[in-house]
Amino acid sequence: MDSLSFLTLMVVLLGLMGRCMSGPTPRLSFLTGSSGRRLTFFSSHEVSNTTTLLLSEDEETLYVGACNAVFALDVGSEDVITLRKKLDWSPSDKDLEQCSMKGKKKADCHNFIRVLQFLNSTHLYTCGTFAFSPHCTYIHLDTLKMDPSTEEGRGRCPYDPYQRNTAIVVDGELYTATMADYRGNRPVISRHLSESSRVDMKLDDALGWLEDPTFISSIFIPHDEKIYFFFREVGREYNFIDKFIVSRVSQICTSDVGGQRTLQRRWTTFAKAQLLCQAGTELPYNVIQDIVILPPAEGDPADETVFYGIFTSQWAVNSGRSAVCSFSLTDIKSVFSGNYKVLNRETLQWSTWVQEKIANPGECGLHNASDNVLRFVKENFLAEDSVRPHGRRLTMETSRHAYSRLKVQRVQAANRKHYTVLFLLTEAGFLHKAVLLQPGVHIIEEVQVFEATQLIKSLELSISKGQLYIGTSEGVLRVPTSNCSYYWTCAQCVLSRDPFCGWDPVTRICTEVTGSQSTLIQDIDGGNVEDSCNSLSSTHITRFGPSKRPSASCPAGELVSVSLNEVVRLHCPAASQLSQQLWERPNSRISADLYLQLEDGSLSFVATPTTLGHYLCLSTENHYRQTMAIYQVKQKSSTGSQTPPSYTRTWARPTTQASTRPGTHTSGTRNWPKDTESRQVETKPSLSIRNSHVTTPQLSRNRTLWTAGSGLRGAMFPDGEPVLSAPCPRFLKELVIVSVLLVICLSLLVTMTLYAVRQRCQSRTAPQTRTLTRDTDSRTSEDQEALRGNQIFNKRSCQAQNGDRAAGLVCNGSLLEYRQNLPNTPL
């Protein structure tokens, strides 16, 4: 491989790695059981596999199609979901036995409700799998009792409970898309319950109009009198790839009654086109998972209708990724009014060569057309062009989450501007609420709705009640669409960028936006706290919070007692998952060679005289700063006892502080509760959930908590030292004392060294005192004189050599350096 090819490959791999890390991050995260997000759950030992949800017109009753039963739930109360009525609809023992004899599992042989539609103002039309033998029936709304007689459900409901289907009732007629045989090999789009002179309709099975499809959804467009079916299937036009999946949109006209001779009782208005969820030249997200409709705003034309869908990819490079694409009704209609591909019946190959267009496939009213026209639309039903996403870009793309279901709502903000909000369910059991903005998608929050991963088959939205209903294998869960009361200050309310919520300057609470509240403070597009909240009158709002709540501009502080050379770790909770933690020291600098900031935002360092002092942890989000924690690190006293086990500290919410730039106001805050004295094991801090438990690092008995009453200025530590006003360490006096002591030590060292050398010389040159013997007494006077002469010579020799200090002292042939050091004595 040459260098150019290798470089190209590396660029591609880096690009793919960059894409794998893409995706918006939820600002807040609420785990199951969190008091910061109120959820209501209905469950019963008789309820399982709630596969279908249907909300009444007044949105007070939720009809649930479950396993072997249909329920009517009262959802009018905000606090509880109660059971109104229940209808048991179970297969008999004989039906279950026959299902088992066909080789099916006993768990799959129950009656799973797959069609639940309002037929009229008095009845429901319901179909179930009924032990792999579909049945349909009529149910009275008032009594929730079904008619004694049932109908065969073939072509209206799937046999297999795991096969997806879609159904919709228009003017008392049922339009379905499902599998019409036991093996699941005969897909069909059909109409049933036709009234008056109209006949039931279906696709011509021999034409190959559908290729192993999976049906997703069906949507009725009243002003066009058309029903759009969304599904995915094998794209036979891409014959160079085996089983290449494509997403489709097809249409039929509700006025279609089939041809007179050609296409009798068959659709004459059926046409389909490819939905292409693709950005530029990248690989497309070709597998549709769910799609919903967003009607136009009031007063806008009907063609402003938009469809939002979730797509995944069959390509390995996009494995685990999800994308959201939007398609306009105008683009769909434009594709269906264009050219169509031609199917060669002999080779079953599609071609795009242009032939004379004698009719427009998909156009309503073709049932009265000639046989020649009907033969043309019979062979030309695949549009040549693909429906591309609105704006030719992806609405959302992420590798962090795999989405499965969605709902969409248009919300009018306080400034009368409309925003699109998506509610997305992940396969991991989280609900994401996201708002679409010009720069991109902002995920306001994520709520964990299930601890264990489970397949979600139904999701319903009540716009008037502001509630989401999720059908699970265990029951029904209700989630409010807004959570305004969680944001306790103007700053937090603005930073959330939630179109549902706005800050009321009169009541000083974050409240839900209504049509009459145009004075609420919001900044959905920018989330600018200073420009939004600083506009409040400082005469009656000194902080961006209500005066009835505890007001403190700084959080509770901690006095940390440590020993020198001990490793200290200071924790800093994050205000949100989009914030960044920043540590500061008054009148000092936090350098990388002394401090280490960990991934969780905590600060670690070694306790030295230089690192003792005050520390502030600030959380910065969108140019807005909040003080999250304040510490004073002090050296332990000599009488300190051993370090006890750590204990847990409970935080209600992080206290906020406005940006420290001149001219800014301080935001309203809520004090953190006093620390509990029950000792617990330390856990990872998390402030993404209101009233969650956040733990501090291990504390010694000398480590005390303190509270900054009304700000940093004037607050005192327990030992009487003011917060952040303690004098900076001054080492000039100590430096002078140490220097003087060092000079004295060096002088003493030199003196002692010289003295020791002198004593050594004298001891070696002085006459030796010993006991005289007979030998010494017998020495002659000449010998004694010679001895005295040698002593004088040696003494003079030592004195002469001692004069050369540079060469050192030489006594008795030994060199003695005068610059010797005592052991463990610093130079």
Side-chain angles (χ1 to χ4, degrees):
M1 180 183 293
D2 56 5
S3 58
L4 181 59
S5 301
F6 178 77
L7 180 61
T8 305
L9 179 60
M10 291 300 297
V11 170
V12 173
L13 292 177
L14 290 175
L16 294 177
M17 292 175 60
R19 289 189 59 196
C20 292
M21 300 302 293
S22 63
T25 301
R27 182 179 181 270
L28 297 178
S29 182
F30 298 92
L31 299 181
T32 302
S34 168
S35 58
R37 205 61 163 93
R38 179 172 52 88
L39 308 178
T40 307
F41 186 69
F42 170 81
S43 64
S44 173
H45 67 280
E46 300 176 346
V47 179
S48 63
N49 291 292
T50 56
T51 56
T52 310
L53 298 180
L54 181 65
L55 197 61
S56 63
E57 186 176 356
D58 59 1
E59 300 186 351
E60 295 285 339
T61 304
L62 181 68
Y63 295 95
V64 180
C67 178
N68 298 328
V70 177
F71 298 88
L73 302 180
D74 185 359
V75 293
S77 174
E78 295 183 358
D79 300 327
V80 66
I81 299 176
T82 58
L83 176 63
R84 282 186 177 177
K85 297 180 180 65
K86 174 189 175 184
L87 169 65
D88 291 320
W89 190 17
S90 304
S92 63
D93 295 338
K94 181 179 179 180
D95 296 325
L96 295 176
E97 183 180 356
Q98 291 179 355
C99 179
S100 299
M101 291 178 61
K102 296 176 182 178
K104 300 300 179 182
K105 297 180 181 179
K106 186 176 180 181
D108 300 337
C109 290
H110 297 286
N111 185 22
F112 297 89
I113 307 302
R114 301 303 300 271
V115 175
L116 189 64
Q117 292 289 321
F118 290 109
L119 187 64
N120 47 45
S121 60
T122 60
H123 285 79
L124 284 171
Y125 191 77
T126 307
C127 299
T129 58
F130 209 82
F132 277 79
S133 179
H135 282 61
C136 298
T137 187
Y138 299 88
I139 299 176
H140 294 268
L141 290 174
D142 296 336
T143 61
L144 206 67
K145 293 182 178 180
M146 65 179 181
D147 290 347
S149 61
T150 59
E151 305 177 334
E152 183 185 5
R154 185 176 61 178
R156 310 178 188 187
C157 177
Y159 287 72
D160 193 332
Y162 299 103
Q163 290 177 346
R164 297 187 64 172
N165 69 301
T166 179
I168 187 173
V169 172
V170 178
D171 297 331
E173 298 176 330
L174 178 68
Y175 296 83
T176 63
T178 185
M179 293 295 175
D181 67 329
Y182 177 82
R183 299 182 180 276
N185 296 327
R186 286 186 55 198
V188 60
I189 297 176
S190 54
R191 182 176 67 202
H192 307 273
L193 310 178
S194 301
E195 297 181 349
S196 64
S197 59
R198 294 160 62 87
V199 295
D200 291 349
M201 301 286 297
K202 66 177 183 179
L203 288 179
D204 193 332
D205 300 334
L207 295 178
W209 286 353
L210 299 174
E211 297 287 349
D212 193 16
T214 299
F215 297 105
I216 303 299
S217 178
S218 54
I219 300 173
F220 175 57
I221 307 297
H223 72 280
D224 286 340
E225 295 185 349
K226 290 183 178 181
I227 297 177
Y228 290 95
F229 293 91
F230 297 89
F231 57 95
R232 60 178 183 261
E233 66 173 355
V234 177
R236 296 300 182 188
E237 66 269 29
Y238 300 100
N239 53 9
F240 53 88
I241 300 179
D242 187 25
K243 292 187 178 181
F244 175 63
I245 305 298
V246 296
S247 299
R248 302 285 198 198
V249 54
S250 65
Q251 65 166 29
I252 54 100
C253 295
T254 57
S255 59
D256 196 345
V257 294
Q260 297 179 0
R261 288 179 296 274
T262 303
L263 295 178
Q264 291 183 5
R265 293 180 178 265
R266 302 294 187 269
W267 297 112
T268 62
T269 57
F270 175 82
K272 66 180 181 181
Q274 180 180 357
L275 286 175
L276 191 58
C277 183
Q278 183 182 20
T281 58
E282 296 182 357
L283 289 175
Y285 291 88
N286 56 321
V287 183
I288 185 172
Q289 300 293 339
D290 196 14
I291 195 164
V292 293
I293 184 175
L294 179 64
E298 186 177 356
D300 291 344
D303 285 350
E304 296 296 326
T305 301
V306 181
F307 302 91
Y308 286 89
I310 296 175
F311 294 82
T312 57
S313 177
Q314 73 177 114
W315 309 106
V317 69
N318 284 339
S319 177
R321 302 175 63 89
S322 295
V324 177
C325 281
S326 61
F327 305 93
S328 67
L329 180 61
T330 302
D331 293 339
I332 293 177
K333 294 170 67 174
S334 175
V335 169
F336 279 130
S337 62
N339 295 326
Y340 282 76
K341 296 183 179 181
V342 179
L343 178 62
N344 188 329
R345 293 297 176 181
E346 296 180 357
T347 62
L348 296 180
Q349 299 294 323
W350 290 93
S351 61
T352 57
W353 56 275
V354 180
Q355 64 177 356
E356 182 182 358
K357 187 176 181 180
I358 61 177
N360 187 20
E363 183 180 355
C364 296
L366 292 178
H367 54 277
N368 294 323
S370 63
D371 292 343
N372 189 28
V373 171
L374 292 179
R375 280 193 296 268
F376 178 83
V377 300
K378 179 180 178 180
E379 297 177 357
N380 300 268
F381 53 86
L382 178 60
E384 181 177 352
D385 295 332
S386 299
V387 183
R388 296 188 174 272
H390 188 61
R392 297 298 188 271
R393 62 184 182 90
L394 304 181
T395 303
M396 180 180 179
E397 183 180 16
T398 178
S399 61
R400 304 173 185 267
H401 313 283
Y403 294 121
S404 59
R405 295 291 189 275
L406 87 158
K407 288 293 180 181
V408 62
Q409 180 179 351
R410 180 179 286 106
V411 182
Q412 187 178 32
N415 58 0
R416 305 297 182 184
K417 185 177 178 180
H418 289 92
Y419 293 90
T420 301
V421 177
L422 301 178
F423 300 96
L424 301 146
L425 271 173
T426 72
E427 294 181 355
F430 283 86
L431 174 68
H432 287 185
K433 182 171 75 172
V435 58
L436 304 184
L437 304 176
Q438 186 64 31
V441 177
H442 171 66
I443 302 181
I444 301 170
E445 61 181 359
E446 69 172 359
V447 183
Q448 186 181 19
V449 292
F450 314 109
E451 293 183 359
T453 303
Q454 53 185 292
L455 183 61
I456 308 301
K457 298 182 179 180
S458 52
L459 179 65
E460 193 70 27
L461 172 64
S462 173
I463 296 179
S464 63
K465 299 291 184 180
Q467 303 286 345
L468 273 167
Y469 300 96
I470 305 172
T472 73
S473 59
E474 301 174 353
V476 177
L477 185 72
R478 181 172 64 186
V479 184
T481 57
S482 63
N483 192 27
C484 303
S485 60
Y486 178 78
Y487 308 109
W488 69 103
T489 64
C490 177
Q492 291 298 321
C493 192
V494 171
L495 283 174
S496 69
R497 304 170 78 171
D498 191 341
F500 289 97
C501 304
W503 182 261
D504 191 339
V506 179
T507 61
R508 285 173 282 176
I509 61 174
C510 191
T511 184
E512 190 169 353
V513 177
T514 61
S516 59
Q517 294 175 311
S518 59
T519 60
L520 297 181
I521 297 175
Q522 283 182 323
D523 188 4
I524 310 301
D525 296 303
N528 193 313
V529 174
E530 294 185 5
D531 293 345
S532 301
C533 296
N534 283 352
S535 61
L536 301 177
S537 175
S538 59
T539 59
H540 65 281
I541 304 178
T542 57
R543 292 169 297 272
F544 304 148
S547 58
K548 63 183 179 181
R549 299 179 179 178
S551 59
S553 59
C554 288
E558 293 183 8
L559 183 60
V560 184
S561 298
V562 298
S563 302
L564 293 182
N565 298 325
E566 177 184 347
V567 177
V568 182
R569 182 174 179 180
L570 304 180
H571 286 279
C572 181
S576 74
Q577 297 187 133
L578 300 181
S579 62
Q580 295 180 349
Q581 286 107 316
L582 174 67
W583 288 89
E584 289 186 355
R585 290 194 64 188
N587 303 323
S588 183
R589 185 175 65 90
I590 297 181
S591 58
D593 54 345
L594 296 179
Y595 299 90
L596 177 63
Q597 184 168 351
L598 305 179
E599 293 182 359
D600 62 352
S602 59
L603 187 68
S604 181
F605 56 91
V606 177
T608 63
T610 306
T611 59
L612 298 178
H614 298 86
Y615 291 86
L616 282 81
C617 178
L618 306 176
S619 181
T620 304
E621 180 180 355
N622 204 16
H623 309 291
Y624 176 75
R625 283 189 173 186
Q626 304 176 68
T627 302
M628 306 304 300
I630 304 175
Y631 298 94
Q632 185 190 19
V633 182
K634 296 186 67 176
Q635 185 178 356
K636 288 182 181 179
S637 60
S638 59
T639 60
S641 58
Q642 295 180 354
T643 303
S646 62
Y647 64 90
T648 301
R649 216 179 140 183
T650 303
W651 311 73
R653 283 176 180 162
T655 339
T656 58
Q657 176 180 338
S659 178
T660 56
R661 287 183 291 179
T664 61
H665 297 281
T666 307
S667 66
T669 57
R670 168 173 289 188
N671 276 340
W672 292 342
K674 295 182 179 180
D675 303 274
T676 61
E677 296 185 0
S678 59
R679 288 169 171 80
Q680 301 178 8
V681 180
E682 181 179 2
T683 58
K684 185 178 180 180
S686 172
L687 273 182
S688 60
I689 302 176
R690 182 183 177 187
N691 295 333
S692 61
H693 294 282
V694 182
T695 58
T696 59
Q698 293 187 352
L699 308 177
S700 66
R701 298 185 187 271
N702 295 327
R703 185 171 181 176
T704 319
L705 301 178
W706 57 272
T707 303
S710 59
L712 296 178
R713 188 179 300 277
M716 304 292 291
F717 282 96
D719 58 359
E721 186 177 354
V723 179
L724 299 183
S725 60
C728 297
R730 301 182 181 275
F731 302 103
L732 180 60
K733 183 177 179 180
E734 289 80 354
L735 181 62
V736 173
I737 295 174
V738 171
S739 301
V740 173
L741 293 176
L742 180 62
V743 172
I744 293 174
C745 291
L746 290 176
S747 301
L748 291 175
L749 176 64
V750 173
T751 304
M752 293 174 64
T753 304
L754 294 177
Y755 179 77
V757 172
R758 180 180 179 84
Q759 289 295 108
R760 185 174 182 181
C761 291
Q762 290 180 355
S763 64
R764 293 185 179 183
T765 57
Q768 296 182 1
T769 304
R770 48 179 148 173
T771 305
L772 296 176
T773 62
R774 294 179 181 179
D775 294 334
T776 58
D777 292 339
S778 63
R779 289 176 180 174
T780 61
S781 59
E782 290 83 7
D783 295 334
Q784 295 177 359
E785 185 68 21
L787 178 60
R788 286 196 295 269
N790 291 334
Q791 292 174 352
I792 295 173
F793 174 80
N794 291 335
K795 184 176 180 180
R796 290 179 179 176
S797 176
C798 182
Q799 291 177 350
Q801 295 179 15
N802 189 30
D804 189 2
R805 294 293 182 94
L809 287 172
V810 180
C811 292
N812 298 327
S814 300
L815 176 64
L816 301 179
E817 290 286 341
Y818 85 99
R819 290 174 296 181
Q820 293 184 19
N821 297 323
L822 294 178
N824 300 325
T825 304
L827 289 176

